[in-house]
Amino acid sequence: MVVKRVDPLDPERGWAVRRLRVLVRLDRPVPEVIEERTIVATRDGLDHIVARFSVPRRSDGADIDREVHAEMQHGARIVEANRLGAGHFRYLLALPRPLAWNEPHTYAIVFQVRDGQPIADHYVFTPLVSCALFEARVRFDAARRPLAVWRTERTVPRTLPHRGRPDGPLLALDGADEVAARFDHPEQGFSYGVCWRYASD
């Protein structure tokens, strides 16, 4: 039997997510996602973590390189950015100071899809580390309101997109053209979030 060695300083490990709050803005010139995470260190001396962001393949199947801009709002610095494939990005974040075991820390990062190409008809979170709470809010353009919006949970990532077929409860837009969904203790490896369909789809 081969025992795989685990790097104790691996920034992909040594922390968990206490709360992830996401705002998806579709009412701006370019799609924008603001992610605010409160993490908790599961080892002493945690000073770097990893953030990932994916732009799913377009519905027409085109696999083109996507242009994503990321910047911190607060709580960390981006010290390395890597493209992993056409639409997946990995960011190494340096925390303001090393965290002690069980110490929380909150940071916020903004992603903008700037290539002018259509984005997928959903925003989902697929946890790779333990997460206690995920809250998603999507703000639609008042001039282009969706025909239907629904929540999706415990979905196998490869089954997305649903091609406009609701697989969960429908969500009604409020007076600000927004919907919100909350997911307690999402399971690692499954996807959770909000899907939508426009009349032209």
Side-chain angles (χ1 to χ4, degrees), residues 101-132:
W101 178 82
N102 208 35
E103 183 178 357
H105 179 72
T106 299
Y107 73 89
I109 188 170
V110 182
F111 303 100
Q112 292 181 335
V113 183
R114 294 184 172 180
D115 53 30
Q117 300 295 319
I119 63 169
D121 52 1
H122 60 270
Y123 176 87
V124 297
F125 167 53
T126 306
L128 301 178
V129 300
S130 174
C131 179

PDB file of all heavy atoms in Angstrom, residues 101-132:
ATOM      1  N   TRP A 101      -4.835  27.912  15.566  1.00  0.00           N
ATOM      2  CA  TRP A 101      -5.871  26.880  15.429  1.00  0.00           C
ATOM      3  C   TRP A 101      -7.200  27.412  15.945  1.00  0.00           C
ATOM      4  O   TRP A 101      -7.278  28.035  16.990  1.00  0.00           O
ATOM      5  CB  TRP A 101      -5.461  25.630  16.215  1.00  0.00           C
ATOM      6  CG  TRP A 101      -6.506  24.554  16.161  1.00  0.00           C
ATOM      7  CD1 TRP A 101      -6.704  23.652  15.173  1.00  0.00           C
ATOM      8  CD2 TRP A 101      -7.517  24.299  17.145  1.00  0.00           C
ATOM      9  NE1 TRP A 101      -7.770  22.834  15.466  1.00  0.00           N
ATOM     10  CE2 TRP A 101      -8.295  23.209  16.676  1.00  0.00           C
ATOM     11  CE3 TRP A 101      -7.843  24.885  18.379  1.00  0.00           C
ATOM     12  CZ2 TRP A 101      -9.366  22.699  17.395  1.00  0.00           C
ATOM     13  CZ3 TRP A 101      -8.921  24.378  19.088  1.00  0.00           C
ATOM     14  CH2 TRP A 101      -9.665  23.292  18.593  1.00  0.00           C
ATOM     15  N   ASN A 102      -8.256  27.211  15.174  1.00  0.00           N
ATOM     16  CA  ASN A 102      -9.633  27.587  15.498  1.00  0.00           C
ATOM     17  C   ASN A 102      -9.871  29.098  15.450  1.00  0.00           C
ATOM     18  O   ASN A 102     -10.916  29.571  15.881  1.00  0.00           O
ATOM     19  CB  ASN A 102     -10.059  27.039  16.865  1.00  0.00           C
ATOM     20  CG  ASN A 102     -11.563  26.804  16.928  1.00  0.00           C
ATOM     21  OD1 ASN A 102     -12.189  26.416  15.940  1.00  0.00           O
ATOM     22  ND2 ASN A 102     -12.161  27.037  18.086  1.00  0.00           N
ATOM     23  N   GLU A 103      -8.935  29.842  14.887  1.00  0.00           N
ATOM     24  CA  GLU A 103      -9.113  31.287  14.770  1.00  0.00           C
ATOM     25  C   GLU A 103      -9.828  31.616  13.461  1.00  0.00           C
ATOM     26  O   GLU A 103      -9.451  31.128  12.407  1.00  0.00           O
ATOM     27  CB  GLU A 103      -7.758  31.995  14.806  1.00  0.00           C
ATOM     28  CG  GLU A 103      -7.866  33.516  14.765  1.00  0.00           C
ATOM     29  CD  GLU A 103      -6.512  34.202  14.854  1.00  0.00           C
ATOM     30  OE1 GLU A 103      -5.491  33.499  15.002  1.00  0.00           O
ATOM     31  OE2 GLU A 103      -6.477  35.450  14.750  1.00  0.00           O
ATOM     32  N   PRO A 104     -10.871  32.459  13.523  1.00  0.00           N
ATOM     33  CA  PRO A 104     -11.593  32.825  12.292  1.00  0.00           C
ATOM     34  C   PRO A 104     -10.962  34.022  11.596  1.00  0.00           C
ATOM     35  O   PRO A 104     -10.217  34.809  12.207  1.00  0.00           O
ATOM     36  CB  PRO A 104     -12.995  33.169  12.810  1.00  0.00           C
ATOM     37  CG  PRO A 104     -12.738  33.730  14.187  1.00  0.00           C
ATOM     38  CD  PRO A 104     -11.550  32.970  14.730  1.00  0.00           C
ATOM     39  N   HIS A 105     -11.266  34.152  10.318  1.00  0.00           N
ATOM     40  CA  HIS A 105     -10.812  35.306   9.537  1.00  0.00           C
ATOM     41  C   HIS A 105     -11.768  35.491   8.368  1.00  0.00           C
ATOM     42  O   HIS A 105     -12.218  34.524   7.749  1.00  0.00           O
ATOM     43  CB  HIS A 105      -9.391  35.092   9.017  1.00  0.00           C
ATOM     44  CG  HIS A 105      -8.895  36.244   8.190  1.00  0.00           C
ATOM     45  ND1 HIS A 105      -8.555  37.469   8.731  1.00  0.00           N
ATOM     46  CD2 HIS A 105      -8.715  36.356   6.837  1.00  0.00           C
ATOM     47  CE1 HIS A 105      -8.169  38.278   7.767  1.00  0.00           C
ATOM     48  NE2 HIS A 105      -8.263  37.638   6.609  1.00  0.00           N
ATOM     49  N   THR A 106     -12.081  36.747   8.052  1.00  0.00           N
ATOM     50  CA  THR A 106     -13.002  37.053   6.954  1.00  0.00           C
ATOM     51  C   THR A 106     -12.279  37.838   5.867  1.00  0.00           C
ATOM     52  O   THR A 106     -11.515  38.766   6.158  1.00  0.00           O
ATOM     53  CB  THR A 106     -14.201  37.871   7.470  1.00  0.00           C
ATOM     54  OG1 THR A 106     -14.911  37.101   8.452  1.00  0.00           O
ATOM     55  CG2 THR A 106     -15.151  38.205   6.325  1.00  0.00           C
ATOM     56  N   TYR A 107     -12.513  37.440   4.628  1.00  0.00           N
ATOM     57  CA  TYR A 107     -11.968  38.178   3.488  1.00  0.00           C
ATOM     58  C   TYR A 107     -13.024  38.223   2.391  1.00  0.00           C
ATOM     59  O   TYR A 107     -13.984  37.450   2.389  1.00  0.00           O
ATOM     60  CB  TYR A 107     -10.683  37.528   2.966  1.00  0.00           C
ATOM     61  CG  TYR A 107     -10.881  36.234   2.218  1.00  0.00           C
ATOM     62  CD1 TYR A 107     -11.105  36.227   0.846  1.00  0.00           C
ATOM     63  CD2 TYR A 107     -10.860  35.013   2.885  1.00  0.00           C
ATOM     64  CE1 TYR A 107     -11.291  35.044   0.152  1.00  0.00           C
ATOM     65  CE2 TYR A 107     -11.046  33.826   2.207  1.00  0.00           C
ATOM     66  CZ  TYR A 107     -11.259  33.849   0.840  1.00  0.00           C
ATOM     67  OH  TYR A 107     -11.465  32.669   0.160  1.00  0.00           O
ATOM     68  N   ALA A 108     -12.846  39.137   1.453  1.00  0.00           N
ATOM     69  CA  ALA A 108     -13.775  39.251   0.319  1.00  0.00           C
ATOM     70  C   ALA A 108     -12.984  39.437  -0.960  1.00  0.00           C
ATOM     71  O   ALA A 108     -11.997  40.182  -0.994  1.00  0.00           O
ATOM     72  CB  ALA A 108     -14.743  40.412   0.518  1.00  0.00           C
ATOM     73  N   ILE A 109     -13.420  38.751  -2.014  1.00  0.00           N
ATOM     74  CA  ILE A 109     -12.768  38.806  -3.310  1.00  0.00           C
ATOM     75  C   ILE A 109     -13.825  39.027  -4.390  1.00  0.00           C
ATOM     76  O   ILE A 109     -14.961  38.541  -4.265  1.00  0.00           O
ATOM     77  CB  ILE A 109     -11.963  37.510  -3.566  1.00  0.00           C
ATOM     78  CG1 ILE A 109     -11.120  37.608  -4.828  1.00  0.00           C
ATOM     79  CG2 ILE A 109     -12.874  36.287  -3.595  1.00  0.00           C
ATOM     80  CD1 ILE A 109     -10.127  36.457  -4.992  1.00  0.00           C
ATOM     81  N   VAL A 110     -13.470  39.788  -5.420  1.00  0.00           N
ATOM     82  CA  VAL A 110     -14.396  40.113  -6.506  1.00  0.00           C
ATOM     83  C   VAL A 110     -13.865  39.520  -7.806  1.00  0.00           C
ATOM     84  O   VAL A 110     -12.680  39.666  -8.130  1.00  0.00           O
ATOM     85  CB  VAL A 110     -14.538  41.642  -6.671  1.00  0.00           C
ATOM     86  CG1 VAL A 110     -15.542  41.962  -7.781  1.00  0.00           C
ATOM     87  CG2 VAL A 110     -14.968  42.280  -5.364  1.00  0.00           C
ATOM     88  N   PHE A 111     -14.755  38.852  -8.535  1.00  0.00           N
ATOM     89  CA  PHE A 111     -14.416  38.297  -9.846  1.00  0.00           C
ATOM     90  C   PHE A 111     -15.277  38.972 -10.901  1.00  0.00           C
ATOM     91  O   PHE A 111     -16.480  39.124 -10.707  1.00  0.00           O
ATOM     92  CB  PHE A 111     -14.667  36.784  -9.886  1.00  0.00           C
ATOM     93  CG  PHE A 111     -13.925  35.995  -8.852  1.00  0.00           C
ATOM     94  CD1 PHE A 111     -14.562  35.585  -7.691  1.00  0.00           C
ATOM     95  CD2 PHE A 111     -12.593  35.648  -9.032  1.00  0.00           C
ATOM     96  CE1 PHE A 111     -13.893  34.852  -6.732  1.00  0.00           C
ATOM     97  CE2 PHE A 111     -11.908  34.917  -8.079  1.00  0.00           C
ATOM     98  CZ  PHE A 111     -12.556  34.515  -6.922  1.00  0.00           C
ATOM     99  N   GLN A 112     -14.669  39.353 -12.017  1.00  0.00           N
ATOM    100  CA  GLN A 112     -15.407  39.905 -13.149  1.00  0.00           C
ATOM    101  C   GLN A 112     -15.067  39.114 -14.405  1.00  0.00           C
ATOM    102  O   GLN A 112     -13.890  38.849 -14.673  1.00  0.00           O
ATOM    103  CB  GLN A 112     -15.071  41.378 -13.374  1.00  0.00           C
ATOM    104  CG  GLN A 112     -15.554  42.305 -12.281  1.00  0.00           C
ATOM    105  CD  GLN A 112     -15.208  43.755 -12.574  1.00  0.00           C
ATOM    106  OE1 GLN A 112     -14.258  44.046 -13.304  1.00  0.00           O
ATOM    107  NE2 GLN A 112     -15.990  44.663 -12.037  1.00  0.00           N
ATOM    108  N   VAL A 113     -16.098  38.738 -15.155  1.00  0.00           N
ATOM    109  CA  VAL A 113     -15.909  38.035 -16.428  1.00  0.00           C
ATOM    110  C   VAL A 113     -15.929  39.100 -17.519  1.00  0.00           C
ATOM    111  O   VAL A 113     -16.979  39.652 -17.842  1.00  0.00           O
ATOM    112  CB  VAL A 113     -16.999  36.974 -16.652  1.00  0.00           C
ATOM    113  CG1 VAL A 113     -16.737  36.217 -17.959  1.00  0.00           C
ATOM    114  CG2 VAL A 113     -17.057  36.003 -15.475  1.00  0.00           C
ATOM    115  N   ARG A 114     -14.747  39.367 -18.092  1.00  0.00           N
ATOM    116  CA  ARG A 114     -14.584  40.537 -18.943  1.00  0.00           C
ATOM    117  C   ARG A 114     -14.444  40.229 -20.435  1.00  0.00           C
ATOM    118  O   ARG A 114     -14.057  41.106 -21.208  1.00  0.00           O
ATOM    119  CB  ARG A 114     -13.356  41.335 -18.485  1.00  0.00           C
ATOM    120  CG  ARG A 114     -13.508  41.959 -17.104  1.00  0.00           C
ATOM    121  CD  ARG A 114     -12.302  42.807 -16.767  1.00  0.00           C
ATOM    122  NE  ARG A 114     -12.484  43.567 -15.536  1.00  0.00           N
ATOM    123  CZ  ARG A 114     -11.564  44.389 -15.030  1.00  0.00           C
ATOM    124  NH1 ARG A 114     -10.416  44.557 -15.670  1.00  0.00           N
ATOM    125  NH2 ARG A 114     -11.797  45.041 -13.910  1.00  0.00           N
ATOM    126  N   ASP A 115     -14.718  39.004 -20.858  1.00  0.00           N
ATOM    127  CA  ASP A 115     -14.471  38.666 -22.264  1.00  0.00           C
ATOM    128  C   ASP A 115     -15.649  38.967 -23.175  1.00  0.00           C
ATOM    129  O   ASP A 115     -15.577  38.775 -24.387  1.00  0.00           O
ATOM    130  CB  ASP A 115     -14.054  37.202 -22.403  1.00  0.00           C
ATOM    131  CG  ASP A 115     -15.030  36.248 -21.726  1.00  0.00           C
ATOM    132  OD1 ASP A 115     -16.230  36.576 -21.650  1.00  0.00           O
ATOM    133  OD2 ASP A 115     -14.591  35.187 -21.264  1.00  0.00           O
ATOM    134  N   GLY A 116     -16.767  39.426 -22.607  1.00  0.00           N
ATOM    135  CA  GLY A 116     -17.922  39.765 -23.423  1.00  0.00           C
ATOM    136  C   GLY A 116     -18.708  38.575 -23.930  1.00  0.00           C
ATOM    137  O   GLY A 116     -19.678  38.738 -24.679  1.00  0.00           O
ATOM    138  N   GLN A 117     -18.296  37.365 -23.537  1.00  0.00           N
ATOM    139  CA  GLN A 117     -18.993  36.161 -23.964  1.00  0.00           C
ATOM    140  C   GLN A 117     -20.096  35.807 -22.967  1.00  0.00           C
ATOM    141  O   GLN A 117     -20.007  36.159 -21.790  1.00  0.00           O
ATOM    142  CB  GLN A 117     -18.013  34.989 -24.077  1.00  0.00           C
ATOM    143  CG  GLN A 117     -16.890  35.221 -25.070  1.00  0.00           C
ATOM    144  CD  GLN A 117     -17.422  35.343 -26.485  1.00  0.00           C
ATOM    145  OE1 GLN A 117     -18.314  34.614 -26.899  1.00  0.00           O
ATOM    146  NE2 GLN A 117     -16.871  36.294 -27.241  1.00  0.00           N
ATOM    147  N   PRO A 118     -21.135  35.115 -23.398  1.00  0.00           N
ATOM    148  CA  PRO A 118     -22.199  34.725 -22.477  1.00  0.00           C
ATOM    149  C   PRO A 118     -21.650  33.842 -21.356  1.00  0.00           C
ATOM    150  O   PRO A 118     -20.709  33.081 -21.552  1.00  0.00           O
ATOM    151  CB  PRO A 118     -23.179  33.943 -23.369  1.00  0.00           C
ATOM    152  CG  PRO A 118     -22.855  34.365 -24.760  1.00  0.00           C
ATOM    153  CD  PRO A 118     -21.384  34.653 -24.780  1.00  0.00           C
ATOM    154  N   ILE A 119     -22.245  33.968 -20.177  1.00  0.00           N
ATOM    155  CA  ILE A 119     -21.885  33.093 -19.073  1.00  0.00           C
ATOM    156  C   ILE A 119     -22.958  32.022 -18.928  1.00  0.00           C
ATOM    157  O   ILE A 119     -24.020  32.099 -19.545  1.00  0.00           O
ATOM    158  CB  ILE A 119     -21.732  33.874 -17.752  1.00  0.00           C
ATOM    159  CG1 ILE A 119     -23.073  34.527 -17.347  1.00  0.00           C
ATOM    160  CG2 ILE A 119     -20.629  34.914 -17.866  1.00  0.00           C
ATOM    161  CD1 ILE A 119     -23.053  35.082 -15.941  1.00  0.00           C
ATOM    162  N   ALA A 120     -22.660  31.018 -18.137  1.00  0.00           N
ATOM    163  CA  ALA A 120     -23.632  29.945 -17.912  1.00  0.00           C
ATOM    164  C   ALA A 120     -24.844  30.473 -17.158  1.00  0.00           C
ATOM    165  O   ALA A 120     -24.792  31.519 -16.496  1.00  0.00           O
ATOM    166  CB  ALA A 120     -22.979  28.801 -17.141  1.00  0.00           C
ATOM    167  N   ASP A 121     -25.942  29.729 -17.242  1.00  0.00           N
ATOM    168  CA  ASP A 121     -27.198  30.164 -16.631  1.00  0.00           C
ATOM    169  C   ASP A 121     -27.330  29.671 -15.196  1.00  0.00           C
ATOM    170  O   ASP A 121     -28.387  29.224 -14.765  1.00  0.00           O
ATOM    171  CB  ASP A 121     -28.382  29.684 -17.477  1.00  0.00           C
ATOM    172  CG  ASP A 121     -28.314  28.186 -17.766  1.00  0.00           C
ATOM    173  OD1 ASP A 121     -27.364  27.521 -17.295  1.00  0.00           O
ATOM    174  OD2 ASP A 121     -29.213  27.680 -18.463  1.00  0.00           O
ATOM    175  N   HIS A 122     -26.235  29.748 -14.438  1.00  0.00           N
ATOM    176  CA  HIS A 122     -26.289  29.346 -13.032  1.00  0.00           C
ATOM    177  C   HIS A 122     -25.051  29.858 -12.302  1.00  0.00           C
ATOM    178  O   HIS A 122     -24.035  30.161 -12.918  1.00  0.00           O
ATOM    179  CB  HIS A 122     -26.369  27.818 -12.894  1.00  0.00           C
ATOM    180  CG  HIS A 122     -25.211  27.092 -13.496  1.00  0.00           C
ATOM    181  ND1 HIS A 122     -25.209  26.668 -14.801  1.00  0.00           N
ATOM    182  CD2 HIS A 122     -23.996  26.732 -12.986  1.00  0.00           C
ATOM    183  CE1 HIS A 122     -24.059  26.061 -15.064  1.00  0.00           C
ATOM    184  NE2 HIS A 122     -23.300  26.096 -13.982  1.00  0.00           N
ATOM    185  N   TYR A 123     -25.201  29.963 -10.981  1.00  0.00           N
ATOM    186  CA  TYR A 123     -24.045  30.141 -10.109  1.00  0.00           C
ATOM    187  C   TYR A 123     -24.129  29.057  -9.056  1.00  0.00           C
ATOM    188  O   TYR A 123     -25.144  28.965  -8.336  1.00  0.00           O
ATOM    189  CB  TYR A 123     -24.017  31.517  -9.424  1.00  0.00           C
ATOM    190  CG  TYR A 123     -22.849  31.588  -8.455  1.00  0.00           C
ATOM    191  CD1 TYR A 123     -21.592  31.984  -8.887  1.00  0.00           C
ATOM    192  CD2 TYR A 123     -22.997  31.175  -7.133  1.00  0.00           C
ATOM    193  CE1 TYR A 123     -20.506  31.995  -8.026  1.00  0.00           C
ATOM    194  CE2 TYR A 123     -21.916  31.172  -6.269  1.00  0.00           C
ATOM    195  CZ  TYR A 123     -20.677  31.584  -6.723  1.00  0.00           C
ATOM    196  OH  TYR A 123     -19.606  31.569  -5.869  1.00  0.00           O
ATOM    197  N   VAL A 124     -23.106  28.236  -8.961  1.00  0.00           N
ATOM    198  CA  VAL A 124     -23.103  27.173  -7.962  1.00  0.00           C
ATOM    199  C   VAL A 124     -21.773  27.164  -7.218  1.00  0.00           C
ATOM    200  O   VAL A 124     -20.739  27.615  -7.724  1.00  0.00           O
ATOM    201  CB  VAL A 124     -23.354  25.772  -8.577  1.00  0.00           C
ATOM    202  CG1 VAL A 124     -24.736  25.696  -9.210  1.00  0.00           C
ATOM    203  CG2 VAL A 124     -22.273  25.399  -9.577  1.00  0.00           C
ATOM    204  N   PHE A 125     -21.827  26.645  -6.015  1.00  0.00           N
ATOM    205  CA  PHE A 125     -20.668  26.457  -5.152  1.00  0.00           C
ATOM    206  C   PHE A 125     -20.497  24.959  -4.940  1.00  0.00           C
ATOM    207  O   PHE A 125     -21.442  24.263  -4.552  1.00  0.00           O
ATOM    208  CB  PHE A 125     -20.911  27.166  -3.822  1.00  0.00           C
ATOM    209  CG  PHE A 125     -19.941  26.818  -2.731  1.00  0.00           C
ATOM    210  CD1 PHE A 125     -18.567  26.917  -2.921  1.00  0.00           C
ATOM    211  CD2 PHE A 125     -20.406  26.423  -1.484  1.00  0.00           C
ATOM    212  CE1 PHE A 125     -17.679  26.616  -1.893  1.00  0.00           C
ATOM    213  CE2 PHE A 125     -19.524  26.116  -0.456  1.00  0.00           C
ATOM    214  CZ  PHE A 125     -18.152  26.214  -0.661  1.00  0.00           C
ATOM    215  N   THR A 126     -19.291  24.471  -5.222  1.00  0.00           N
ATOM    216  CA  THR A 126     -18.964  23.066  -5.007  1.00  0.00           C
ATOM    217  C   THR A 126     -17.859  23.014  -3.964  1.00  0.00           C
ATOM    218  O   THR A 126     -16.684  23.232  -4.291  1.00  0.00           O
ATOM    219  CB  THR A 126     -18.501  22.400  -6.314  1.00  0.00           C
ATOM    220  OG1 THR A 126     -19.485  22.616  -7.332  1.00  0.00           O
ATOM    221  CG2 THR A 126     -18.293  20.905  -6.116  1.00  0.00           C
ATOM    222  N   PRO A 127     -18.189  22.791  -2.692  1.00  0.00           N
ATOM    223  CA  PRO A 127     -17.164  22.863  -1.651  1.00  0.00           C
ATOM    224  C   PRO A 127     -16.108  21.775  -1.787  1.00  0.00           C
ATOM    225  O   PRO A 127     -16.421  20.612  -2.017  1.00  0.00           O
ATOM    226  CB  PRO A 127     -17.966  22.699  -0.346  1.00  0.00           C
ATOM    227  CG  PRO A 127     -19.259  22.072  -0.744  1.00  0.00           C
ATOM    228  CD  PRO A 127     -19.529  22.505  -2.141  1.00  0.00           C
ATOM    229  N   LEU A 128     -14.854  22.199  -1.658  1.00  0.00           N
ATOM    230  CA  LEU A 128     -13.722  21.279  -1.647  1.00  0.00           C
ATOM    231  C   LEU A 128     -13.180  21.095  -0.236  1.00  0.00           C
ATOM    232  O   LEU A 128     -12.386  20.183   0.010  1.00  0.00           O
ATOM    233  CB  LEU A 128     -12.616  21.785  -2.571  1.00  0.00           C
ATOM    234  CG  LEU A 128     -13.002  21.962  -4.041  1.00  0.00           C
ATOM    235  CD1 LEU A 128     -11.833  22.508  -4.841  1.00  0.00           C
ATOM    236  CD2 LEU A 128     -13.491  20.642  -4.637  1.00  0.00           C
ATOM    237  N   VAL A 129     -13.576  22.001   0.685  1.00  0.00           N
ATOM    238  CA  VAL A 129     -13.271  21.856   2.103  1.00  0.00           C
ATOM    239  C   VAL A 129     -14.595  21.954   2.853  1.00  0.00           C
ATOM    240  O   VAL A 129     -15.616  22.352   2.289  1.00  0.00           O
ATOM    241  CB  VAL A 129     -12.284  22.935   2.597  1.00  0.00           C
ATOM    242  CG1 VAL A 129     -10.960  22.850   1.839  1.00  0.00           C
ATOM    243  CG2 VAL A 129     -12.878  24.331   2.471  1.00  0.00           C
ATOM    244  N   SER A 130     -14.582  21.603   4.125  1.00  0.00           N
ATOM    245  CA  SER A 130     -15.795  21.649   4.929  1.00  0.00           C
ATOM    246  C   SER A 130     -16.370  23.060   4.966  1.00  0.00           C
ATOM    247  O   SER A 130     -15.636  24.043   5.114  1.00  0.00           O
ATOM    248  CB  SER A 130     -15.471  21.175   6.350  1.00  0.00           C
ATOM    249  OG  SER A 130     -16.594  21.324   7.198  1.00  0.00           O
ATOM    250  N   CYS A 131     -17.697  23.167   4.817  1.00  0.00           N
ATOM    251  CA  CYS A 131     -18.390  24.457   4.834  1.00  0.00           C
ATOM    252  C   CYS A 131     -19.645  24.330   5.689  1.00  0.00           C
ATOM    253  O   CYS A 131     -20.430  23.402   5.514  1.00  0.00           O
ATOM    254  CB  CYS A 131     -18.749  24.886   3.416  1.00  0.00           C
ATOM    255  SG  CYS A 131     -19.651  26.460   3.323  1.00  0.00           S
ATOM    256  N   ALA A 132     -19.829  25.282   6.621  1.00  0.00           N
ATOM    257  CA  ALA A 132     -20.994  25.235   7.504  1.00  0.00           C
ATOM    258  C   ALA A 132     -22.207  25.935   6.909  1.00  0.00           C
ATOM    259  O   ALA A 132     -23.344  25.505   7.113  1.00  0.00           O
ATOM    260  CB  ALA A 132     -20.648  25.852   8.860  1.00  0.00           C
TER     261      ALA A 132
END
